[in-house]
Amino acid sequence: MSLPSDLPAVRAEQRNEHPHQHPDPDPHEQPPHPHHRHGWWWKTLLTGFVLWVVTIIVTFSTLNTNLVPTIILLGSFLVPFTVVLFVIERVTGSVSTMQLIVAFFVGGILGVLGASLLEADLRAGAGLYIVVGFVEEFVKGVLLVVVGWRVRPKTAQQGALLGATVGAGFAAFESAGYAFNAAITSRGIDLVSLLQTEVVRAILSPVGHVLWTAILGAVVFGAAHGRARFRWSWSIPIAYVGVALLHGLWDSNSTISTLLAFLVTGTPLSAARNGAVPASIAGLATTLYVVGLAIVSAIGVVILIAVLIRARKRSAGAGAGGVDGDPAWGETPAPHPLG
């Protein structure tokens, strides 16, 4: 049986009949996890917000106090958990969803427990908030290293994403505690105070614990330059001190803004009654408080972006080769058992 003479041309036509077909993927390119689908984070945020509002309406209409824990959990965990979903959609390498869930829940619980134990003997004073910043960032930093020990490759972007997850877990459990304390008063359950606390902390959580630990994670992981193991760098303690100071300034901003309001208006400190700010300067104190938070947040965001840009440039300049006998991730034949 003879074949038609134009068979090669037919085959060539068949190969080109799908002009939009993608070429074969690069074997050296790090593929994303198959479960990574963009868009779940904002869908979850919208759905959770609707459920939170519905729960509030039902609670006020029925006065059913059994729904108060639901309000606390939804309001405290919605934004931090959305951060985790945002990370899941963008993380690459060997970071799995389970590792991120562990970083969020276990890291968050151990973080607040460890911080509570270390802060138990602290006494009120001028430097209290700075000390708290150093304590909490130390605890989160240790948990970040433990959770990220087997993450490969270790890059600044991976560290920022994992750090944001640990920070989100810490923020969620801490916010739940603040919301509970705001709700319990001598007159019973104060739902208005509870909701105010949750709204403020939900809005600020992405530029609070999430941002500080993301900066620290970017520096710690970025020092590894894409390798499988952590590496020491003097940039790590510098970053730790920096985020701890930013954390302390963030926490002490209320006190700083109040003092500035007294100084700017020339109001004597004796005008305060039982620790309450006089009504004449309350508006200025609130404005200075918001401005202060915006400044500290902007500094943190600029630092994080600068760290990621610097790491990306360094990675592009170094190429795929390793240094000092420690191969880069792309050249590692097998995972190191302790890496």
Side-chain angles (χ1 to χ4, degrees):
M1 179 177 178
S2 61
L3 295 175
S5 58
D6 60 343
L7 183 59
V10 172
R11 287 178 176 172
E13 237 179 70
Q14 291 174 345
R15 285 197 301 267
N16 296 328
E17 66 181 356
H18 300 293
H20 300 292
Q21 186 175 4
H22 295 289
D24 293 335
D26 184 355
H28 299 290
E29 185 180 354
Q30 194 66 256
H33 284 287
H35 56 257
H36 291 180
R37 295 182 180 179
H38 290 261
W40 281 108
W41 70 270
W42 63 265
K43 295 175 184 176
T44 301
L45 181 63
L46 291 178
T47 303
F49 177 74
V50 171
L51 291 175
W52 182 67
V53 172
V54 170
T55 306
I56 293 171
I57 295 174
V58 173
T59 303
F60 272 99
S61 61
T62 63
L63 299 179
N64 185 359
T65 56
N66 290 333
L67 296 177
V68 173
T70 304
I71 296 177
I72 294 176
L73 291 177
L74 272 176
S76 302
F77 279 80
L78 178 57
V79 173
F81 189 70
T82 299
V83 171
V84 177
L85 294 180
F86 182 86
V87 170
I88 289 176
E89 294 175 358
R90 284 156 180 80
V91 76
T92 57
S94 64
V95 185
S96 66
T97 300
M98 184 54 64
Q99 284 175 305
L100 294 174
I101 297 299
V102 169
F104 179 77
F105 284 102
V106 178
I109 294 174
L110 293 180
V112 294
L113 291 178
S116 297
L117 290 174
L118 293 176
E119 296 169 4
D121 295 329
L122 295 181
R123 295 293 180 265
L128 174 63
Y129 293 117
I130 300 297
V131 175
V132 169
F134 275 90
V135 169
E136 294 186 355
E137 293 308 321
F138 173 78
V139 172
K140 290 189 293 179
V142 171
L143 293 172
L144 174 64
V145 171
V146 172
V147 173
W149 192 260
R150 294 185 178 274
V151 172
R152 299 177 178 87
K154 289 180 172 60
T155 63
Q157 182 181 7
Q158 299 285 82
L161 292 172
L162 194 61
T165 303
V166 173
F170 193 101
F173 286 98
E174 187 181 58
S175 294
Y178 277 104
F180 176 80
N181 287 333
I184 304 301
T185 67
S186 58
R187 302 181 305 276
I189 297 178
D190 188 345
L191 287 178
V192 175
S193 178
L194 163 63
L195 297 179
Q196 289 176 342
T197 301
E198 287 201 323
V199 168
V200 171
R201 293 192 64 86
I203 294 174
L204 298 178
S205 59
V207 288
H209 286 293
V210 174
L211 179 58
W212 315 141
T213 321
I215 294 173
L216 186 59
V219 174
V220 171
F221 279 63
H225 307 313
R227 296 176 179 83
R229 294 188 290 270
F230 285 115
R231 277 184 169 247
W232 168 257
S233 171
W234 283 107
S235 61
I236 296 175
I238 292 174
Y240 164 68
V241 172
V243 297
L245 290 176
L246 287 174
H247 187 155
L249 286 174
W250 176 276
D251 289 348
S252 60
N253 188 53
S254 177
T255 302
I256 294 174
S257 61
T258 301
L259 291 176
L260 285 176
F262 275 100
L263 292 175
V264 170
T265 59
T267 304
L269 295 177
S270 58
R273 294 288 184 269
N274 298 324
V277 178
S280 58
I281 66 170
L284 177 60
T286 301
T287 302
L288 292 174
Y289 176 73
V290 174
V291 171
L293 291 183
I295 292 175
V296 176
S297 302
I299 294 173
V301 171
V302 170
I303 292 175
L304 177 59
I305 293 175
V307 170
L308 294 176
I309 291 177
R310 181 177 181 273
R312 186 176 302 173
K313 290 181 178 179
R314 185 166 186 173
S315 177
V323 180
D324 299 332
D326 188 9
W329 168 250
E331 297 181 353
T332 304
H336 192 282
L338 298 178

